[in-house]
Amino acid sequence: MKHFILPFALLSCSTACVAGASDAAQSASAATPQLSNSLFDGEVARSRDFLKMMMDAGVVVPVPKDPGGGYTHEQHKRNYKAIYQAGMLYRITGEQQYADYARDILLAYAELYPTLEAHPARKKQNYGKIFWQVLNDAVWLVQSIQGYEQIRDSLPQAQRDRIENQIFRKAADFLSVESARTFNLIHNHATWATAGVGMTGYVLGDQDMVERALLGSAKDGKSGFLRQTDLLFSPDGYYSEGPYYQRYALMPFMVFADAIEKNDPARNIFERRDGILLKALRTTVQLTYGGFFFPFNDAIKDKSLNTEELYHGVAIAYAKTQDPQLLSVAKWQGRTVLTSDGQQLAKDLSAGKATPFDYKSLLLRDGPEGKKGAVGIMRNGSGPRHQVLVTKNSSQGMGHGHFDKLSWQYYDNGRELVSDYGAARFLNIEAKEGGIYLPENKSWAKQTIAHNTLVVDEESHFGGNTKAGEAQSPQQLYFSDEVGTQISAASMTGAYPDVAFTRTMALLNITGLSQPLVVDITRAQSDSTHRYDLPLHYQGQIMRIGFDVTSNAQSRPVLGDKNGYQHIWVDAEGTAAADESFITWLLDDRFYTWRFAPQAGAKMILAESGANDPNFNLRREPMLIQRVDNAKNTSFAGILEAHGRYDGAAEQTVASDSQIKEMKFETVDGNDVLFLETLGGTRLAFAISYDPDSAATHSIKFRGQTLSWKGFAARIDLGTGRE
């Protein structure tokens, strides 16, 4: 393998170069306040350690060869981090060694870059030169141009010209001209590309480059950074590809916007669309539990607020708003960035100015006009063990979206309990195809059966066609964040040719129960008969099954042969009792019971993911599937209850069985009613009229009582069942 390697100890400037750099360093040092806080000091120390390691190894700029996770891929990542951090440390400390090292890496790239063609391990399309996909080349440019900006004035003109003409102009041309197809997308790849090109334009004083970045290659405003800002976020700051990619896209959005404001303040970029970028930053934080992002769509589940993109985003947002809640986010992160914004944030955090971030229940509309469905977040309590019910009634989410209309997730006791699989991908692990999305991402993770939502005839929503999914979105029918009775309802028409379905979910606080109940009522309607499957993907170990099952003790049959069903092992099957049935499991120190009202003849399937997976690319996770055959219209009704405690250290178990005495579900005159009674005697009904008129009154006879309520849905307390 050919390398461009220049041992750091042998790299030296001419006398003129040293003198010029020294003057710049003294100026930078004089203008920089003394470091006075642990968070920023820690960042400086971390960067010093990283750069010492890099400088001891010399300047290593290998000819690109490997895909994600491979040696050359990781070395080029280390290099752009070194360029960025060396530039920032030079600004902060004035130490010439950092400017020299950043300069020498860039000079090595100036020798290498003009020789590069399409990456040898390139993807089928959207290839890069330094990396195997153009996205990574854009990230390299965003990072490297920021570091170069800090050392630029310390370099003699000849070195500036060489670096700018042989690397930065060529890289910007590659991204915006040769890769125009990607550059002009409305997509996170294009956000990184436009940010890199635009920031390079500002540093080099190239207005044409800036205009290309802002307005697209044709400079007509039909694409480009400004158009992305208008189309990729909803009015509530929700990013259409979901939380995982919202986090990723926020860095180029925020750092380029910061550059725009500094270089072209008349554009008022942070006021655009009612301050959409700052709103999006706060929304990103809201889309977390315990600091980790809700992992729907193509998401890797270990991604949290501790990420480079949000260190930058939080620091920039704090500088613009001085919002003390953002300081508590930075405190949780324990990190900041090597900029003046990061330094000010750290100083104010050390001064005790932080206030708790207001995590709350809210509805986040999707689509640029807020008309492509929504994500509902219903929280109960606060702190690391509070409860969150998430209803995903949003749009397809472009190529990273999954076929999961009206799906849901639930968190309790610090854990994801009712789960979304996320992506079948091991990022930057060479053994797993270099970190790309694995074949199982399409064959399992994207398929509808891998989610907690309705499947018809073992087919995925929209036939698994992304373009068809983009054309139609759910309709959010109702949302209430009333404390103790939080409700989200949505409908989906078009996911299947002749089936429409509606799902209403609630988070209810019940007297006598230590934790809230989740209520789920899903109704499907069609003019023809179908097979309806409703999976529940849960985390935990089964304790008790409240219906008869036949286990597959000797062999594990596979549930189907396509659309994700080929990846499901069937462990047991059964027929539920006529009135109600349940399954109880244990996760950590808490018990959970899913209680449901089965239809006549319904089949229960206890299963696990991982079949037909010879390369062990899938996690083995349990699921319960309720199956109804040969039905036109059908309804699924269930509740999720947390109860009891298991103390392994003390060898004590409390309330391991459900605290619900009775659950009944009925449809009366087109209204759905779920009745509950606890062992403690609390009785209530949850009633749904499906009437969008919030002022409309409804009244029905149910179990000898008159139930009355207003609007779409309501909780009706019925007192106690005790005499």
Side-chain angles (χ1 to χ4, degrees):
M1 181 184 300
K2 182 181 177 183
H3 294 71
F4 290 83
I5 305 178
L6 301 174
F8 181 74
L10 301 180
L11 297 174
S12 60
C13 279
S14 65
T15 303
C17 174
V18 171
S22 178
D23 291 343
Q26 291 175 9
S27 175
S29 179
T32 303
Q34 293 296 310
L35 305 181
S36 59
N37 57 79
S38 59
L39 195 64
F40 194 77
D41 289 352
E43 212 61 51
V44 170
R46 187 177 292 107
S47 292
R48 282 189 184 277
D49 289 344
F50 170 70
L51 287 169
K52 183 180 187 305
M53 176 193 72
M54 293 291 289
M55 292 159 71
D56 286 347
V59 174
V60 182
V61 181
V63 174
K65 174 185 177 183
D66 303 312
Y71 165 71
T72 63
H73 180 96
E74 294 302 312
Q75 181 61 34
H76 288 296
K77 284 173 58 181
R78 286 189 287 269
N79 285 345
Y80 69 61
K81 291 177 183 177
I83 294 166
Y84 174 83
Q85 293 184 29
M88 293 301 168
L89 282 190
Y90 175 64
R91 178 190 66 82
I92 293 164
T93 69
E95 294 180 28
Q96 187 62 39
Q97 61 173 333
Y98 296 125
D100 290 347
Y101 188 60
R103 173 204 67 205
D104 292 329
I105 298 177
L106 288 168
L107 286 173
Y109 274 106
E111 183 178 351
L112 171 67
Y113 195 85
T115 71
L116 299 180
E117 297 182 356
H119 194 284
R122 60 187 174 274
K123 299 177 71 174
K124 292 181 180 179
Q125 54 185 340
N126 304 331
Y127 65 84
K129 290 189 173 184
I130 300 174
F131 299 94
W132 67 335
Q133 63 172 338
V134 69
L135 169 64
N136 300 92
D137 279 43
V139 175
W140 186 96
L141 185 58
V142 168
Q143 296 277 8
S144 297
I145 194 63
Q146 292 181 81
Y148 175 65
E149 182 180 18
Q150 306 307 318
I151 70 165
R152 185 172 186 260
D153 288 345
S154 73
L155 302 180
Q157 190 63 48
Q159 290 183 347
R160 283 196 220 173
D161 290 345
R162 180 162 178 75
I163 291 169
E164 292 173 9
N165 294 331
Q166 297 297 92
I167 309 171
F168 289 121
R169 291 190 183 277
K170 289 184 183 297
D173 186 73
F174 171 66
L175 292 176
S176 60
V177 179
E178 293 182 52
S179 306
R181 179 185 175 278
T182 297
F183 190 77
N184 293 318
L185 291 174
I186 305 300
H187 189 270
N188 77 78
H189 289 202
T191 307
W192 279 97
T194 55
V197 172
M199 293 167 71
T200 300
Y202 280 132
V203 172
L204 304 189
D206 189 324
Q207 189 60 31
D208 179 71
M209 202 180 288
V210 171
E211 293 299 312
R212 263 184 281 158
L214 293 174
L215 303 173
S217 292
K219 294 184 284 188
D220 57 6
K222 295 180 180 179
S223 60
F225 183 80
L226 297 180
R227 189 64 171 161
Q228 293 165 22
T229 302
D230 293 341
L231 295 182
L232 285 175
F233 294 105
S234 79
D236 299 318
Y238 177 75
Y239 181 73
S240 62
E241 292 182 283
Y244 179 86
Y245 276 95
Q246 177 151 342
R247 172 272 319 169
Y248 185 62
L250 262 183
M251 181 173 172
F253 271 117
M254 295 296 283
V255 297
F256 187 27
D258 197 41
I260 293 169
E261 184 176 75
K262 288 180 170 64
N263 289 276
D264 195 359
R267 287 188 181 273
N268 296 315
I269 188 64
F270 283 106
E271 284 74 49
R272 191 179 181 90
R273 287 190 68 202
D274 192 30
I276 192 64
L277 293 179
L278 296 173
K279 190 181 296 184
L281 185 280
R282 291 186 60 86
T283 294
T284 306
V285 180
Q286 292 284 2
L287 287 161
T288 63
Y289 179 78
F292 287 82
F293 294 104
F294 303 140
F296 50 74
N297 290 345
D298 278 345
I300 296 173
K301 302 185 95 167
D302 60 6
K303 192 63 71 176
S304 72
L305 294 171
N306 269 334
T307 179
E308 182 73 21
E309 296 85 8
L310 287 181
Y311 303 150
H312 284 271
V314 169
I316 293 169
Y318 180 71
K320 306 308 173 196
T321 66
Q322 300 296 297
D323 180 356
Q325 292 186 28
L326 295 176
L327 294 177
S328 68
V329 177
K331 182 178 181 180
W332 189 94
Q333 294 172 317
R335 295 287 302 275
T336 189
V337 289
L338 295 169
T339 65
S340 57
D341 290 344
Q343 192 167 14
Q344 185 61 51
L345 176 147
K347 180 180 178 182
D348 288 354
L349 180 59
S350 293
K353 295 183 180 181
T355 60
F357 190 85
D358 184 20
Y359 290 97
K360 57 187 178 182
S361 298
L362 73 168
L363 185 71
L364 298 172
R365 294 169 293 171
D366 194 4
E369 297 178 350
K371 297 179 180 179
K372 299 188 72 176
V375 172
I377 302 173
M378 291 167 276
R379 297 185 187 269
N380 179 75
S382 59
R385 297 184 181 274
H386 76 290
Q387 294 81 36
V388 183
L389 172 60
V390 181
T391 58
K392 185 178 183 290
N393 307 324
S394 53
S395 68
Q396 181 63 32
M398 298 187 284
H400 287 299
H402 289 191
F403 301 101
D404 60 349
K405 303 305 100 177
L406 311 196
S407 184
W408 66 290
Q409 299 162 245
Y410 189 61
Y411 297 80
D412 176 48
N413 203 26
R415 294 289 300 273
E416 182 186 25
L417 182 70
V418 175
S419 58
D420 190 293
Y421 190 87
R425 183 187 190 190
F426 297 84
L427 187 62
N428 281 344
I429 295 180
E430 190 172 14
K432 292 297 185 180
E433 299 193 28
I436 65 171
Y437 289 101
L438 296 165
E440 290 79 9
N441 196 58
K442 183 176 181 180
S443 63
W444 168 252
K446 283 179 177 283
Q447 300 294 332
T448 304
I449 192 62
H451 302 86
N452 302 299
T453 190
L454 186 69
V455 188
V456 179
D457 297 330
E458 299 187 16
E459 296 281 342
S460 284
H461 297 170
F462 311 108
N465 183 286
T466 299
K467 186 175 181 180
E470 282 292 326
Q472 301 179 74
S473 300
Q475 180 183 3
Q476 183 73 33
L477 301 173
Y478 182 75
F479 184 80
S480 171
D481 60 359
E482 179 184 347
V483 176
T485 307
Q486 301 186 70
I487 305 169
S488 176
S491 64
M492 185 69 229
T493 302
Y496 297 104
D498 66 340
V499 177
F501 59 104
T502 300
R503 191 169 212 166
T504 303
M505 303 202 69
L507 193 61
L508 305 180
N509 288 31
I510 309 295
T511 301
L513 299 184
S514 60
Q515 310 297 333
L517 285 180
V518 175
V519 175
D520 174 25
I521 298 175
T522 301
R523 57 156 54 176
Q525 296 174 304
S526 178
D527 292 330
S528 55
T529 60
H530 297 279
R531 164 174 284 179
Y532 295 104
D533 288 340
L534 187 66
L536 179 76
H537 297 267
Y538 62 92
Q539 300 293 316
Q541 177 68 43
I542 291 176
M543 296 290 106
R544 194 187 299 276
I545 299 173
F547 51 90
D548 293 333
V549 298
T550 301
S551 295
N552 298 311
Q554 300 299 318
S555 62
R556 299 180 93 186
V558 177
L559 189 56
D561 59 9
K562 60 182 178 179
N563 303 324
Y565 283 77
Q566 75 274 25
H567 291 301
I568 298 174
W569 275 313
V570 178
D571 290 320
E573 295 180 274
T575 301
D579 49 359
E580 62 179 75
S581 294
F582 68 88
I583 178 174
T584 297
W585 68 88
L586 174 68
L587 181 64
D588 292 342
D589 61 353
R590 189 166 290 174
F591 296 93
Y592 299 90
T593 294
W594 174 251
R595 184 179 298 272
F596 53 96
Q599 303 88 330
K603 179 186 291 186
M604 305 299 123
I605 302 169
L606 293 165
E608 186 179 56
S609 59
N612 289 305
D613 180 26
N615 296 317
F616 300 94
N617 288 334
L618 293 176
R619 300 189 301 272
R620 275 53 175 160
E621 296 183 345
M623 69 193 82
L624 169 69
I625 301 172
Q626 299 178 63
R627 170 168 286 180
V628 176
D629 276 320
N630 300 313
K632 290 184 178 180
N633 303 329
T634 194
S635 295
F636 297 89
I639 59 172
L640 178 62
E641 170 198 4
H643 54 89
R645 185 172 186 269
Y646 171 68
D647 187 336
E651 299 181 359
Q652 291 182 338
T653 301
V654 177
S656 61
D657 288 329
S658 168
Q659 302 301 293
I660 300 296
K661 177 181 179 181
E662 182 183 17
M663 183 191 84
K664 294 292 183 183
F665 174 75
E666 293 183 23
T667 299
V668 182
D669 300 330
N671 305 276
D672 284 339
V673 182
L674 187 77
F675 169 82
L676 296 171
E677 182 175 355
T678 70
L679 293 177
T682 300
R683 300 164 68 245
L684 64 87
F686 182 72
I688 312 171
S689 69
Y690 299 98
D691 187 342
D693 184 353
S694 61
T697 59
H698 306 278
S699 183
I700 61 172
K701 290 289 185 180
F702 178 80
R703 303 189 69 173
Q705 289 185 264
T706 298
L707 302 182
S708 300
W709 73 97
K710 278 187 175 184
F712 188 94
R715 162 215 190 112
I716 305 167
D717 291 309
L718 302 175
T720 67
R722 295 175 175 174
E723 296 297 333

